[in-house]
Amino acid sequence: MQRVFTISEKIVPGNLIQYQWQKTLGNYIAITGFDHTVKIFDRHGQKKNEINLPGMCVNIDWDKDGDVLAVIADKSNSIYLWDANTHKPSQLDSGMRDQMSFLMWSKAGTLLAVGTTKGNLLIYNPQTSRKIPVLGKHTKRITCGCWSSQNLLALGSEDKMLTVSNQEGDTIRQTTVRAEPSDVQFSVMKTDERASMGESTVSVVVGKKTLFLFNLSDPDNPIELAFQQRYGNIISYRWYGDGYIMIGFSQGYFVVISTHIREIGQELFQAHNHKDSLTSIAISQSLNKAASCGDNCIKIHDLSELKEMYAIINLDDETKGLDRLSWTDDGQLLAVSTQRGTLQVFLTKLPVLGDTCGTRIAFLTSLLEVTVCNHIEGEPPITVSVELEPNFIAVGPYHVAVGMNNRAWFYSLGENGVEKLKDTEYLGTVTNMCLNSDYAAALFENRVQLHMVRLKANHNWGSRTQYLMAAKLFESVLSV
């Protein structure tokens, strides 16, 4: 688990920070602290933009495609938007007179739900610029909520009510809970029969002690699950797989239950992952991994075999403890915020990219790093820092090339170290590239373009190198 970057508390002031990865793409992370700004960094830790707010940030969320970041702040009735494609901020008047307290984009469309401290609701569609104000959805502050994949909106409030509304804002289900609700989620309970109801179950933590399951198909028979007192409070939970729920508790326990009616309430897995406290759990569906954090370490399990510990990341310098975990959708990066206000990002998955030339090997060793080595000849490894995350690598006797889509960057590997030579654009997306001493051959759209990398006067490439390059090119063309 390689640390990619750290954002210190000096950059984002505040002991506890909010942050959100860009959905789908994971190219950006939005972070906010106590300084009335939302800062946007790329996945390498470089600051890209900043949104100034009139007060402290209340909530942030990315739309489902990761195109737009929405922000609400106290002391403001506006919704602040940032376009990830143009990097331009904009401002939208919500039309609501009371303070906003909740914000979330829909899973399946372009709808944005905004709740207020007095229980009112706004549903906004940026494609049509239509705003639907819903007054009196709740009688007190809306604190949590979630969209279903069928565009139903579940909301929890300080009035101890759970409401489920359609995309027009009409209430279709509601129920009372015994204490203040938090962490509302939609999912599918495990059943013997496969129904096409979609995400028909709303789950919510009640009073930090119980998990309330509200089946929209059977609203008169909700299920409330209580847990052992020694576990402490429910910190967070996640649905995964075929109706399983993973729950993290404040006293360091990590529990998995099933929602199958014959197994409900039964613990399928339990571990005391953290000695003093657990502060967050996260699941990566793409990696099939689960992570928990607490004290000053992160523990990662494989979902197919929870008893086996996949990895442990110790953060010995974080003496105040950790706060919250979050994975990018592709599972490549795992972020953890800390109790002192820093954010650390770790690389958990790396694409397998590489190339060979004779006994020399070049391969990706970090998001922006290629290592070239030749163990047979006893050459010391050479590290090449590249400008972008590549999707192909080529290595020759004197050069290495990396590229993405229709561009490639060329570096020389000389006695004086690594030197960037040039970058080249092609007339199509490059699917393969080969290098010899002087030339690069790029394969795209069933064609091979041959061009000079840089002429060297002090060497001649022999017939073996020519033959190897020609063979690789021929093999590439045949595979198209």
Side-chain angles (χ1 to χ4, degrees):
M1 296 295 171
Q2 184 184 74
R3 192 176 326 206
V4 180
F5 64 87
T6 299
I7 297 173
S8 77
E9 67 276 20
K10 296 178 182 178
I11 299 174
V12 183
N15 293 333
L16 294 177
I17 60 174
Q18 290 187 65
Y19 68 94
Q20 288 282 343
W21 282 112
Q22 181 191 32
K23 290 174 186 170
T24 307
L25 302 172
N27 288 330
Y28 299 106
I29 186 167
I31 310 173
T32 182
F34 293 165
D35 62 344
H36 298 187
T37 65
V38 175
K39 295 179 174 67
I40 297 155
F41 296 82
D42 68 15
R43 60 195 277 123
H44 310 295
Q46 300 298 313
K47 183 180 170 184
K48 293 297 179 182
N49 219 316
E50 184 173 302
I51 304 170
N52 294 307
L53 305 172
M56 282 187 58
C57 177
V58 173
N59 213 336
I60 56 178
D61 194 34
W62 293 91
D63 74 345
K64 69 179 181 65
D65 297 318
D67 290 329
V68 180
L69 175 72
V71 181
I72 53 175
D74 61 9
K75 303 178 183 177
S76 174
N77 293 326
S78 294
I79 301 166
Y80 298 84
L81 304 171
W82 184 77
D83 191 305
N85 299 308
T86 64
H87 289 202
K88 290 183 178 179
S90 59
Q91 199 170 321
L92 171 73
D93 184 2
S94 68
M96 310 295 279
R97 294 188 177 181
D98 46 324
Q99 174 64 50
M100 292 174 287
S101 59
F102 166 79
L103 170 143
M104 183 169 282
W105 288 98
S106 63
K107 291 179 185 177
T110 58
L111 300 176
L112 178 65
V114 181
T116 76
T117 56
K118 293 185 179 179
N120 300 317
L121 171 67
L122 172 71
I123 298 176
Y124 170 65
N125 186 337
Q127 287 189 340
T128 62
S129 299
R130 185 187 181 199
K131 299 177 189 174
I132 304 175
V134 184
L135 302 180
K137 175 61 68 174
H138 286 268
T139 58
K140 292 185 179 180
R141 174 191 292 264
I142 295 173
T143 57
C144 55
C146 185
W147 288 92
S148 77
S149 54
Q150 288 76 42
N151 267 346
L152 297 179
L153 175 64
L155 295 172
S157 165
E158 289 179 352
D159 63 7
K160 300 178 185 177
M161 289 287 294
L162 180 69
T163 60
V164 179
S165 309
N166 61 22
Q167 61 188 31
E168 298 294 317
D170 305 318
T171 301
I172 59 172
R173 292 281 189 273
Q174 66 179 38
T175 187
T176 304
V177 291
R178 290 191 285 180
E180 187 176 329
S182 61
D183 201 354
V184 178
Q185 297 180 31
F186 265 102
S187 195
V188 182
M189 287 182 65
K190 187 178 179 182
T191 58
D192 289 326
E193 297 179 1
R194 296 295 177 192
S196 58
M197 288 292 294
E199 293 180 327
S200 57
T201 300
V202 182
S203 57
V204 61
V205 175
V206 176
K208 299 183 179 180
K209 294 293 184 183
T210 62
L211 189 62
F212 186 84
L213 304 178
F214 184 58
N215 191 335
L216 303 183
S217 304
D218 190 13
D220 297 327
N221 295 294
I223 298 169
E224 191 164 3
L225 302 174
F227 302 91
Q228 297 183 46
Q229 193 171 357
R230 67 190 177 102
Y231 291 172
N233 292 334
I234 297 174
I235 296 298
S236 63
Y237 72 97
R238 294 291 180 269
W239 289 80
Y240 75 96
D242 189 13
Y244 298 107
I245 304 176
M246 182 174 293
I247 311 167
F249 294 88
S250 60
Q251 295 301 312
Y253 288 91
F254 180 79
V255 174
V256 173
I257 63 170
S258 170
T259 59
H260 195 288
I261 199 65
R262 292 178 299 181
E263 301 172 325
I264 208 153
Q266 178 184 345
E267 293 181 3
L268 305 180
F269 175 78
Q270 183 249 83
H272 195 187
N273 256 14
H274 305 278
K275 181 181 177 182
D276 296 323
S277 66
L278 180 149
T279 56
S280 182
I281 63 171
I283 285 179
S284 170
Q285 302 287 0
S286 60
L287 290 182
N288 200 40
K289 299 285 189 297
S292 69
C293 72
D295 305 329
N296 62 348
C297 76
I298 301 168
K299 294 188 176 180
I300 299 177
H301 298 256
D302 195 308
L303 289 177
S304 58
E305 187 51 68
L306 286 166
K307 293 179 182 179
E308 300 295 328
M309 191 70 67
Y310 176 77
I312 298 175
I313 305 172
N314 290 305
L315 290 85
D316 297 329
D317 51 338
E318 297 296 343
T319 54
K320 290 187 177 180
L322 308 182
D323 183 34
R324 189 171 71 88
L325 284 171
S326 180
W327 249 299
T328 53
D329 286 351
D330 62 8
Q332 276 200 342
L333 298 173
L334 176 66
V336 58
S337 54
T338 74
Q339 300 284 349
R340 66 184 174 98
T342 63
L343 183 83
Q344 302 202 32
V345 175
F346 295 87
L347 182 64
T348 55
K349 173 188 169 185
L350 191 64
V352 180
L353 285 180
D355 191 33
T356 62
C357 176
T359 55
R360 175 174 284 178
I361 302 171
F363 55 98
L364 194 65
T365 46
S366 188
L367 294 178
L368 297 175
E369 180 185 276
V370 173
T371 297
V372 182
C373 58
N374 191 336
H375 296 297
I376 302 299
E377 301 295 334
E379 297 176 1
I382 302 170
T383 300
V384 182
S385 296
V386 297
E387 297 184 12
L388 83 168
E389 294 179 41
N391 56 20
F392 66 85
I393 295 173
V395 65
Y398 304 101
H399 309 100
V400 65
V402 299
M404 174 177 280
N405 300 330
N406 68 329
R407 285 186 78 184
W409 284 257
F410 294 87
Y411 302 83
S412 68
L413 308 173
E415 295 177 357
N416 298 324
V418 178
E419 177 191 356
K420 181 186 172 184
L421 298 179
K422 63 176 182 178
D423 62 277
T424 302
E425 287 194 22
Y426 301 92
L427 298 177
T429 299
V430 176
T431 56
N432 199 1
M433 178 175 283
C434 299
L435 301 179
N436 66 17
S437 304
D438 300 308
Y439 290 90
L443 175 67
F444 57 89
E445 297 180 359
N446 294 347
R447 292 181 294 173
V448 174
Q449 179 178 330
L450 187 68
H451 65 86
M452 188 171 287
V453 178
R454 186 175 71 174
L455 184 62
K456 281 184 172 288
N458 297 328
H459 69 269
N460 294 306
W461 51 288
S463 58
R464 176 173 172 78
T465 307
Q466 294 182 44
Y467 172 80
L468 288 172
M469 182 176 177
K472 291 176 77 173
L473 284 173
F474 185 64
E475 182 180 357
S476 300
V477 173
L478 285 180
S479 66
V480 174

